[in-house]
C-alpha cells in the first residue's frame, strides 16, 4: 500500500507544532499502524530527518501506552488500541491524518507523545483498596457473586490509555474515573471506602484540568476496551449517596 | 581463577554457593527459619533508609508498595509514562497457587515438585519451595486488593489447568490475569505515593549503577523527556526490570523491554546467571512478514481445549484446513505424548511444532521459504461445549487473534508458532534475592533464581508477586539493619561522579559515531543471529559462528551507527534504543558463550549434539548440575565462569518424560 500521511510535529512542549506531509510506500496490509510508522521512521532516517516520536510499548493492546488521533478519531476507525489497528483497515492511496491526544491535562512532550501523569494522580486520590501486604484473609473467606465479579472485571479492564479524554469535547476523564470507581465499589473488599473514594477522585479530576462530564458518550464510543458508558451512572449514584451522607 | 582459556572464550573461577538459605532444617521450615534469623529494622528508623527500585512490574511494583507500606523511603524508576504499563500487564493465562480448592490432591509440595521438574532440575530447591509456599498468600493478597479473578456462581474462585501439570491450580481473570494483577500492585503503589512513602520517576531509565566501597549505593538515571542525567543515592538498590528477550528483536516482550539495568550492574560486578536459558513459548501468532516489530502470544490456556495438528501430507498444507479430513490430520502431540497430549510443557510443545514445520508440514505464509505455523483447532471444543461456552472461556483471545490475523478462529483453526517469551537467566542472587554485590537486590524475571531450564506456565506471575510482596520485604531488612553506619554519599562523592561521567561518556560516544546505519537495523541483525544460532536449537558450530558474527556486528555498530536528534533538551527515542542495543550486543555474546559451554539439552534449549534416541532433550546431570554465574572481566576480556552446584535433597533427579 502507498499512503499520504499528515502528521503533527512538535519538537517540545514549548514549540508551536504544525502538520507535516509524508509519503510511505510498500506497506503490508498485515502490518499494524505502528509498524507502518516504524517503516516511515526508517525512511526519515535514511533521508537524514529526525524520526517521529510516538509512544508504544506492549503492542498487544493491553499496556495503554500507545494512543494517536487518526483521522480525527482516538485510536482510529476501529474500536481498538492504535497498536492493534492494522493497515488492512485502510486502502491503497489513502490520506491519513495523525495527531496526538489533545487535552489541557495532557501536555505534548514531543510530536505524538503526551504526558498522561494526571491519570495516575486520579488513582492516587483513592483508586485503590487500602489493604496492607501479608495480612489478607483466605481468598474464599468472602464469596463474591459471579455477576458482580464479571461486572467488576468489565470495568477493571480499563487500560488508562486516555482515549476517552482525547475523544471528549470537554476533555473529561469521567469514563476512566468511573471505571475505577465501579470496579472497586462492586467488590465487598472495596466497599468501605466507596464514598470517600468517589469524592476524592472527582476532586482530583477537576484539579488536573479535565473538563466536566456532560453525557455526550464519545468516550465509550472510542474506548478500546469497550468500558460501558453506564459506569458513569454508577459513579453518579455513588456521588449522590456520598452527598446524602455528607462525605 | 584458572589461566587456561576454555574453548578460547572464557575462564573458570572459584565455585560459589548460596549462603543464605538455611539448609540445616527441613525444606518446609527454611523460609520461616530465614525470616526469624533476619535482622529487623525498628519502624521509626525505616523512614531514614532509602531504597531505590527500578521497574514497576509485578516484582518491582509489589516491592515498592510493600516497602513503602513498611515505612521505608522508596524511590521508584520506570521508563514508561505510568507504573501501570510494565510488561507484566500483558501476561494472559494465570497464576498458580497451591490452594487445593479443587480437592485434586494439590499441595505446596506438589507445586514445588512440578516446578522443579518443569524446570528440568536447573532451579534451586529452596527458592522454588518458598515460591510454592507463599503462592497461597499471593491469591489472598490479590483478592483483598480487588483483583476480579474468575468466580463460580457460588461466589468462590474458579480454577483451570495449565500446560505440564495434572491438577487445576491456576487462578485467572479471563485472558487478562497479568493486567489485573499488575493493576492491583499499581494501585497499592499509588496508594503509597499518596501516603508520601514512595516517589515515582516516570520516563526515567536507569543507565548506570553507583557502587561505592563494594556496595550498591544508587543509580544514574536519564530523564527521557529532557535527556538529563541524574544521580540518586540510596542505602540499597532493587532491580526489577524484567527479562531480556528483546535481544532476539522479535519476541513477545514489549518494545521497551531491555537489559540495560541488569547489564550495567553486571559490568559493575554482579554475576549473570544462566544467560542462555530462554523460554520459547509454543502458542504465539506466527510472523507475517519483514515489517513486523514484535510477536504476540496467545495464552497457553488455549491448549486446554484446542487441539494441535498439522496435515499428514505436505501437499495438503496449502489447502483450507476445513477441507482436510480427520484421517489426514496429524494430532502430533496427542500421538507422541498420549498422557499429556496438548498439555505437554512449553519446551516440548515448541520443539515439536518446529520439527513439524522443518519437515515441511507447516501451514500459513512462508517466511524465507518455510511455512512456520501449526493449527490450534477449536472445532472439537465448539462441538462439545458449544460456541458460547468456548467464547466465555477464550473470547477475548479469539478477538485478539482475529484482529491481528484477519481470520475468525471460530470458523478456521488458529495458526500458532513458538516465539521467544521469557528469559530464565538473569542476575545471580542468593536466597535473600541479593546479588553478589552487597545491597543490590534483584527481583522477578530480572533474576535467575526460581527458574530452571524451562518454566511451567503460570509461574512467572507467581514469582514476580512472591518476590515483591513476600520475599524482599522480609530479606532486605537484614541488609538495611546494618546500613546506619555506612558513610553518607552525596553528589560530589568520587564514586557518584565516576558513575555519572561514565554514563555521560556513553551517551557522548553513541552520538559521536555519526555513521550511516540506524539502530533498528543493527537490532534486527543481532536478533537474526540470536534466533538462528542461540534459539530453540543450538550446535557447537553454530554458536561459535554466532559469537564471531556478533563481534563483527558490534565493531560495526561503534563505527557506523547514527543516532539522529539531540542528546539533551528533548525526547530522543533513537538514543534510548541505541544505548539498549549496545548492551544487547554484549549480552548476546555472553548468551552464546553460556550456551556453548552447556553441552547438554535442557528444557527449552535443545543442544543438537545431546539428544535421546527418540530425539528428546538429553540432560547431563553428571556434568551440568550447576548454575553458571558469569563474571564480567572487563572490556574485550573473556568472562569468568563461577559454578554454583545445585543440591537436590528433596527431589530425585529424573529424566523428564511426558509420554
Amino acid at each position: 500500500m502507498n499512503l499520504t500521511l499528515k502528521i503533527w510535529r512538535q519538537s517540545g512542549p514549548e514549540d508551536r507544532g504544525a502538520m507535516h506531509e509524508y509519503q510511505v510506500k510498500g506497506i503490508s496490509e498485515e502490518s499494524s499502524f505502528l509498524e507502518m510508522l516504524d517503516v516511515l521512521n526508517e525512511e526519515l532516517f535514511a533521508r537524514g530527518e529526525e524520526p517521529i516520536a510516538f509512544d508504544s510499548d506492549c503492542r498487544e493492546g493491553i499496556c495503554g501506552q500507545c494512543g494517536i488521533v487518526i483521522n480525527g478519531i482516538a485510536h482510529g476507525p476501529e474500536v481498538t488500541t492504535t497498536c492493534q489497528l492494522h493497515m488492512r483497515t485502510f486502502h491503497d492511496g489513502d490520506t491519513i491524518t495523525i495527531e496526538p491526544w489533545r487535552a489541557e491535562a495532557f501536555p505534548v512532550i514531543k510530536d505524538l507523545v503526551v504526558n498522561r501523569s494526571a491519570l495516575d494522580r486520579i488513582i492516587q486520590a483513592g483508586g485503590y483498596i487500602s489493604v496492607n501486604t501479608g495480612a489478607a484473609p483466605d481468598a474464599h473467606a468472602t464469596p463474591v457473586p459471579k455477576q458482580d465479579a464479571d461486572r467488576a472485571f468489565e470495568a477493571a479492564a480499563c487500560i488508562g490509555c486516555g482515549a476517552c479524554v482525547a475523544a471528549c469535547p470537554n476533555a473529561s476523564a469521567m469514563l476512566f474515573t468511573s471505571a475505577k470507581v465501579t470496579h472497586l465499589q462492586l467488590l465487598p473488599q472495596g466497599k468501605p471506602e466507596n464514598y470517600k473514594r468517589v469524592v476524592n477522585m472527582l476532586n482530583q479530576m477537576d484539579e488536573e484540568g479535565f473538563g466536566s462530564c456532560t453525557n455526550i458518550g464519545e468516550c465509550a464510543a472510542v474506548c478500546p476496551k469497550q468500558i460501558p458508558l453506564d459506569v458513569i451512572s454508577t459513579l453518579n449514584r455513588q456521588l449522590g449517596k456520598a452527598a446524602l451522607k455528607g462525605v | 581463577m584458572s589461566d587456561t582459556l576454555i574453548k578460547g572464550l572464557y575462564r573458570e573461577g572459584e565455585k560459589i554457593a548460596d549462603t543464605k538459605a538455611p539448609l540445616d532444617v527441613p525444606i518446609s521450615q527454611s523460609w520461616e527459619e530465614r525470616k526469624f534469623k533476619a535482622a529487623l529494622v525498628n519502624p521509626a528508623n525505616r523512614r531514614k533508609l532509602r531504597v531505590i527500585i527500578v521497574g514497576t512490574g509485578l516484582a518491582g511494583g509489589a516491592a515498592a508498595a510493600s516497602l513503602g507500606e513498611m515505612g521505608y523511603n522508596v524511590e521508584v524508576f520506570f521508563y514508561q509514562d505510568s507504573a501501570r504499563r510494565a510488561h507484566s500487564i500483558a501476561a494472559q493465562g494465570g497464576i498458580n497457587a497451591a490452594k487445593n480448592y479443587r480437592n485434586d490432591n494439590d499441595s505446596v509440595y506438589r507445586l514445588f515438585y512440578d516446578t522443579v521438574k518443569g524446570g528440568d532440575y536447573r532451579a534451586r530447591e529452596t527458592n522454588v519451595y518458598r515460591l510454592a509456599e507463599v503462592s497461597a498468600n499471593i491469591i489472598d493478597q490479590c483478592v483483598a486488593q480487588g483483583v476480579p479473578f474468575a468466580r463460580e456462581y457460588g461466589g468462590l474462585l474458579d480454577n483451570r489447568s495449565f500446560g505440564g501439570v495434572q491438577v487445576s491450580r491456576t487462578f485467572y481473570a479471563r485472558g487478562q490475569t497479568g493486567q489485573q494483577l499488575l493493576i492491583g500492585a499499581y494501585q497499592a503503589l499509588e496508594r503509597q505515593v499518596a501516603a508520601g512513602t514512595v516517589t515515582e520517576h516516570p520516563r526515567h531509565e536507569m543507565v548506570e549503577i553507583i557502587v561505592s566501597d563494594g556496595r550498591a549505593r544508587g543509580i544514574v538515571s536519564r530523564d527521557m523527556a529532557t535527556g538529563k542525567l541524574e544521580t540518586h543515592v540510596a542505602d540499597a538498590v532493587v532491580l526489577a526490570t524484567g527479562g531480556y528477550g528483546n535481544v532476539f528483536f522479535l519476541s513477545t516482550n514489549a518494545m521497551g523491554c531491555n537489559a540495560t539495568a541488569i547489564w550495567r550492574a553486571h559490568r559493575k560486578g554482579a554475576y549473570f546467571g544462566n544467560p542462555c536459558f530462554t523460554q520459547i513459548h509454543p502458542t504465539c501468532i506466527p510472523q507475517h512478514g519483514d515489517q513486523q516489530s514484535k510477536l504476540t502470544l496467545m495464552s497457553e490456556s488455549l491448549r486446554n481445549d484446542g487441539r494441535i495438528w498439522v496435515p499428514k501430507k505436505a501437499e495438503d498444507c496449502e489447502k483450507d484446513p476445513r477441507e482436510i479430513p480427520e484421517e489426514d490430520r496429524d494430532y502430533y502431540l496427542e500421538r507422541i505424548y498420549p498422557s499429556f497430549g496438548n498439555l505437554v510443557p512449553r519446551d516440548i510443545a515448541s520443539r515439536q511444532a518446529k520439527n513439524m514445520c522443518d519437515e515441511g508440514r507447516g501451514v500459513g505464509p512462508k517466511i524465507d521459504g518455510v511455512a512456520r505455523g501449526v493449527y490450534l483447532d477449536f472445532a472439537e471444543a465448539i462441538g462439545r461445549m458449544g460456541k458460547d461456552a468456548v467464547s466465555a472461556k477464550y473470547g477475548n483471545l479469539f478477538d485478539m487473534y482475529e484482529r491481528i490475523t484477519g481470520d475468525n478462529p471460530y470458523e478456521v483453526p488458529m495458526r500458532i508458532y513458538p516465539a521467544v517469551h521469557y528469559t530464565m537467566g538473569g542476575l545471580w542472587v542468593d536466597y535473600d534475592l541479593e546479588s553478589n554485590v552487597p545491597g543490590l537486590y534483584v527481583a522477578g524475571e530480572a533474576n535467575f533464581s526460581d527458574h530452571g531450564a524451562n518454566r511451567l506456565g503460570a509461574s512467572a506471575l507467581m514469582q514476580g508477586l512472591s518476590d515483591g510482596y513476600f520475599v524482599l520485604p522480609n530479606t532486605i531488612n537484614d541488609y538495611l539493619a546494618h546500613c546506619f553506619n555506612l558513610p553518607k554519599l552525596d553528589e560530589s562523592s568520587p564514586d557518584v561522579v565516576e558513575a555519572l561521567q561514565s554514563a555521560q561518556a556513553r551517551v557522548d560516544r553513541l552520538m559521536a559515531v555519526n555513521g550511516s546505519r540506524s539502530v533498528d537495523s543493527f537490532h534486527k541483525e543481532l536478533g537474526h543471529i540470536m534466533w538462528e544460532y542461540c534459539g530453540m536449537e543450538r550446535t557447537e558450530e553454530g554458536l561459535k559462528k554466532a559469537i564471531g558474527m556478533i563481534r563483527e556486528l558490534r565493531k560495526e555498530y561503534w563505527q557506523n551507527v547514527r543516532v539522529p536528534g539531540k542528546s539533551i533538551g528533548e525526547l530522543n527515542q533513537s538514543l534510548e534504543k541505541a544505548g539498549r542495543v549496545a548492551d544487547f550486543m554484549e549480552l548476546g555474546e555472553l548468551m552464546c558463550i553460556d550456551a556453548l559451554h552447556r553441552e547438554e539439552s535442557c528444557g527449552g534449549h535443545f543442544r543438537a549434539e545431546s539428544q535421546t534416541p527418540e530425539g528428546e532433550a538429553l540432560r547431563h546431570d553428571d556434568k551440568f548440575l550447576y548454575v553458571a554465574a558469569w563474571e564480567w572481566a572487563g572490556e574485550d576480556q573473556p568472562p569468568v565462569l563461577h559454578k554454583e552446584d545445585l543440591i537436590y535433597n528433596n527431589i530425585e533427579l529424573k529424566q523428564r518424560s511426558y509420554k
Side-chain angles (χ1 to χ4, degrees):
Chain A
M1 296 168 82
N2 300 331
L3 304 158
T4 302
L5 306 172
K6 291 184 175 168
I7 305 181
W8 183 261
R9 302 292 316 249
Q10 184 175 342
S11 64
E14 307 305 325
D15 184 34
R16 280 176 63 90
M19 298 300 285
H20 289 240
E21 198 172 295
Y22 303 94
Q23 309 291 328
V24 280
K25 294 195 171 74
I27 299 297
S28 158
E29 289 193 351
E30 302 293 315
S31 290
S32 71
F33 197 83
L34 298 180
E35 286 167 348
M36 182 273 292
L37 289 179
D38 290 340
V39 171
L40 172 65
N41 274 346
E42 280 293 299
E43 282 174 23
L44 291 179
F45 174 87
R47 299 200 319 233
E49 292 176 43
E50 215 184 312
I52 293 151
F54 62 91
D55 259 333
S56 81
D57 203 19
C58 76
R59 296 205 179 185
E60 294 181 18
I62 192 74
C63 78
Q65 176 110 344
C66 66
I68 297 173
V69 175
I70 300 163
N71 289 339
I73 306 168
H75 291 304
E78 305 251 329
V79 181
T80 186
T81 55
T82 306
C83 67
Q84 290 297 296
L85 179 66
H86 284 74
M87 295 313 293
R88 68 177 79 91
T89 307
F90 299 92
H91 302 103
D92 190 30
D94 276 359
T95 298
I96 306 173
T97 311
I98 304 173
E99 297 164 275
W101 279 177
R102 302 277 188 198
E104 205 179 296
F106 290 167
V108 172
I109 296 175
K110 186 175 179 178
D111 296 341
L112 305 170
V113 179
V114 301
N115 182 345
R116 286 166 292 190
S117 297
L119 297 181
D120 290 326
R121 290 189 291 272
I122 293 177
I123 298 295
Q124 284 157 24
Y128 47 76
I129 288 173
S130 297
V131 51
N132 284 353
T133 320
D138 185 89
H140 269 181
T142 314
V144 180
K146 184 174 174 5
Q147 20 327 10
D148 290 355
D150 286 353
R151 168 113 168 110
F153 177 89
E154 195 178 46
C158 168
I159 57 173
C161 62
C164 48
V165 177
C168 177
N170 308 334
S172 174
M174 195 62 157
L175 192 72
F176 169 83
T177 308
S178 304
K180 191 44 59 190
V181 166
T182 303
H183 161 209
L184 298 176
Q185 74 97 26
L186 275 163
L187 300 168
Q189 293 83 358
K191 283 213 191 310
E193 295 170 287
N194 273 354
Y195 304 134
K196 200 169 144 238
R197 175 183 305 123
V198 69
V199 171
N200 290 348
M201 287 179 80
L202 280 178
N203 285 343
Q204 189 65 35
M205 192 179 100
D206 291 343
E207 205 169 298
E208 295 291 344
F210 292 104
S212 312
C213 172
T214 50
N215 289 313
I216 294 165
E218 289 288 334
C219 51
V222 299
C223 175
K225 296 296 148 180
Q226 294 169 283
I227 305 293
L229 193 59
D230 65 6
V231 294
I232 295 179
S233 43
T234 304
L235 177 142
N236 284 329
R237 273 199 303 281
Q238 291 298 317
L239 187 64
K241 286 184 194 166
L244 286 175
K245 300 234 175 203
V247 177
Chain B
M1 192 174 73
S2 71
D3 292 330
T4 0
L5 203 53
I6 304 167
K7 296 187 188 232
L9 288 166
Y10 66 94
R11 295 178 203 282
E12 198 165 320
E14 295 84 51
K15 280 199 171 182
I16 55 169
D18 166 26
T19 55
K20 305 273 180 60
L23 295 174
D24 50 350
V25 292
I27 198 164
S28 59
Q29 286 163 37
S30 296
W31 181 224
E32 280 306 314
E33 178 75 5
R34 177 65 196 130
K35 284 195 281 187
F36 180 69
K37 292 273 170 67
L40 301 178
V41 181
N42 157 354
N45 279 338
R46 292 179 197 159
R47 72 180 77 96
K48 299 175 196 157
L49 292 162
R50 181 180 299 266
V51 181
I52 283 175
I53 297 178
V54 187
T56 58
L58 290 179
S66 305
L67 295 176
E69 190 181 287
M70 289 165 80
Y72 291 111
N73 210 324
V74 178
E75 302 268 341
V76 59
F77 296 79
F78 43 95
Y79 72 77
Q80 298 92 343
D81 73 326
S82 167
R84 66 182 297 150
R85 316 244 189 253
H87 196 53
S88 309
I89 204 156
Q92 296 167 343
I95 177 167
N96 283 338
K99 282 283 200 186
N100 196 30
Y101 281 164
R102 294 291 115 179
N103 194 26
D104 55 5
N105 260 345
D106 201 9
S107 63
V108 168
Y109 198 89
R110 191 179 296 275
L111 175 51
F112 159 61
Y113 178 90
D114 286 348
T115 308
V116 169
K117 178 181 168 212
D120 228 351
Y121 308 93
R122 292 294 177 264
R124 210 187 264 153
E125 264 196 349
T126 45
N127 283 64
V128 176
Y129 192 91
R130 174 175 64 191
L131 180 66
E133 192 178 341
V134 304
S135 64
N137 301 86
I138 297 172
I139 303 302
D140 300 340
Q141 180 67 29
C142 295
V143 166
Q145 283 174 342
V147 171
F149 282 117
R151 288 186 182 260
E152 295 173 337
Y153 283 99
L156 301 182
L157 294 160
D158 197 5
N159 292 104
R160 60 186 175 199
S161 177
F162 241 61
V165 295
Q166 290 173 309
V167 293
S168 283
R169 62 160 74 103
T170 307
F171 294 78
Y172 66 103
R174 289 190 206 162
Q176 297 164 33
T177 315
Q179 183 201 15
Q180 293 308 320
L181 296 176
L182 184 71
I183 295 292
Y186 158 76
Q187 289 174 184
L189 175 63
E190 297 308 303
R191 173 176 168 239
Q192 293 308 313
V193 173
T197 64
V198 176
T199 308
E200 289 183 324
H201 301 267
R203 292 196 194 271
H204 276 66
E205 56 175 354
M206 181 194 132
V207 290
E208 197 52 86
I209 187 154
I210 298 169
V211 177
S212 179
D213 199 19
R215 293 167 187 271
R217 293 296 305 273
I219 64 166
V220 181
S221 67
R222 188 173 162 275
D223 180 334
M224 292 151 68
T226 65
K228 192 168 178 288
L229 294 174
E230 303 162 352
T231 53
H232 302 271
V233 174
D235 296 287
V237 176
V238 179
L239 301 184
T241 52
Y244 48 87
N246 274 352
V247 69
F248 291 90
F249 187 74
L250 282 184
S251 81
T252 64
N253 284 198
M255 299 303 284
C257 289
N258 67 90
T260 289
I262 54 174
W263 193 253
R264 299 279 108 203
H266 173 61
R267 289 180 57 118
K268 282 275 176 97
Y271 294 170
F272 208 117
N274 298 337
C276 81
F277 281 11
T278 309
Q279 181 200 114
I280 313 285
H281 200 288
T283 52
C284 299
I285 299 178
Q287 193 182 343
H288 63 67
D290 58 6
Q291 291 176 359
Q292 191 134 6
S293 59
K294 74 156 281 162
L295 297 169
T296 302
L297 177 147
M298 302 291 292
S299 168
E300 125 178 277
S301 64
L302 292 168
R303 290 199 278 143
N304 267 316
D305 289 296
R307 297 181 70 195
I308 295 173
W309 62 276
V310 290
K312 279 184 181 162
K313 295 176 279 190
E315 59 268 30
D316 282 351
C317 288
E318 287 182 21
K319 274 192 191 163
D320 182 327
R322 290 167 295 186
E323 285 167 14
I324 301 174
E326 204 58 30
E327 63 271 19
D328 289 338
R329 300 174 175 194
D330 180 9
Y331 295 91
Y332 57 90
L333 291 176
E334 298 170 34
R335 169 171 60 82
I336 309 173
Y337 309 98
S339 64
F340 279 77
N342 294 299
L343 289 174
V344 291
R346 294 173 174 184
D347 56 322
I348 292 176
S350 299
R351 196 161 51 252
Q352 291 298 356
K354 180 176 187 290
N355 289 345
M356 297 304 135
C357 297
D358 289 351
E359 275 179 29
R361 293 196 285 146
V363 296
K366 286 186 174 163
I367 308 276
D368 301 331
V370 185
R372 291 193 174 88
V374 299
Y375 289 123
L376 176 62
D377 195 340
F378 283 84
E380 192 264 345
I382 292 170
R384 170 168 48 87
M385 305 155 65
K387 192 180 161 187
D388 290 348
V390 169
S391 169
K393 252 175 138 172
Y394 307 113
N396 68 313
L397 298 169
F398 278 41
D399 293 347
M400 187 176 88
Y401 180 86
E402 183 169 8
R403 172 148 305 284
I404 293 174
T405 62
D407 285 344
N408 177 357
Y410 292 102
E411 305 287 331
V412 193
M414 289 182 178
R415 284 175 294 109
I416 54 165
Y417 195 68
V420 169
H421 181 49
Y422 194 92
T423 44
M424 285 161 291
L427 292 185
W428 184 89
V429 290
D430 61 21
Y431 190 65
D432 279 4
L433 304 183
E434 189 176 15
S435 71
N436 59 305
V437 176
L440 179 68
Y441 287 76
V442 193
E445 190 181 352
N447 73 31
F448 87 101
S449 73
D450 301 7
H451 314 299
N454 198 76
R455 254 181 344 103
L456 291 175
S459 62
L461 300 183
M462 181 167 65
Q463 192 222 352
L465 289 178
S466 158
D467 285 1
Y469 284 135
F470 300 106
V471 180
L472 270 176
N474 285 296
T475 58
I476 202 167
N477 299 318
D478 191 61
Y479 178 79
L480 290 171
H482 302 106
C483 279
F484 284 101
N485 300 325
L486 294 183
K488 286 287 161 221
L489 282 192
D490 60 37
E491 301 266 317
S492 59
S493 305
D495 296 315
V496 179
V497 173
E498 186 275 323
L500 181 64
Q501 282 171 347
S502 107
Q504 184 66 56
R506 212 165 108 82
V507 171
D508 294 344
R509 193 178 159 204
L510 280 168
M511 298 300 297
V513 179
N514 206 17
S516 62
R517 274 184 73 179
S518 71
V519 175
D520 273 359
S521 74
F522 282 99
H523 194 176
K524 282 185 185 172
E525 194 174 333
L526 174 70
H528 276 301
I529 300 172
M530 293 302 294
W531 177 248
E532 188 65 29
Y533 301 108
C534 197
M536 288 170 75
E537 188 167 324
R538 297 132 184 221
T539 64
E540 168 130 9
E541 194 194 347
L543 288 162
K544 283 185 172 158
K545 191 171 165 194
I547 292 166
M549 290 166 85
I550 293 170
R551 287 179 175 173
E552 282 300 308
L553 188 66
R554 202 167 66 215
K555 211 162 99 191
E556 201 204 331
Y557 189 73
W558 290 104
Q559 287 165 357
N560 200 19
V561 75
R562 181 160 62 82
V563 183
K566 297 185 225 165
S567 65
I568 195 85
E570 62 183 54
L571 185 77
N572 185 340
Q573 294 177 324
S574 304
L575 179 57
E576 289 160 22
K577 286 189 245 174
R580 294 169 187 166
V581 171
D583 288 333
F584 278 140
M585 297 242 196
E586 293 179 359
L587 169 61
E589 182 178 329
L590 185 67
M591 288 169 75
C592 292
I593 294 175
D594 185 44
L596 184 66
H597 111 278
R598 191 167 283 273
E599 294 169 333
E600 65 167 347
S601 294
C602 188
H605 353 98
F606 191 73
R607 188 65 181 260
E609 298 94 339
S610 179
Q611 48 183 306
T612 65
E614 293 110 24
E616 300 289 344
L618 182 62
R619 260 182 13 239
H620 292 296
D621 294 336
D622 50 334
K623 286 197 234 152
F624 295 100
L625 195 60
Y626 59 79
V627 174
W630 295 91
E631 181 187 350
W632 174 260
E635 203 88 42
D636 295 322
Q637 292 297 312
V640 180
L641 171 65
H642 299 273
K643 294 176 180 172
E644 178 204 334
D645 287 332
L646 286 165
I647 304 154
Y648 288 94
N649 289 330
N650 296 276
I651 293 180
E652 187 197 345
L653 290 154
K654 283 187 197 154
Q655 199 63 35
R656 286 193 307 164
S657 170
Y658 292 88
K659 295 218 167 182

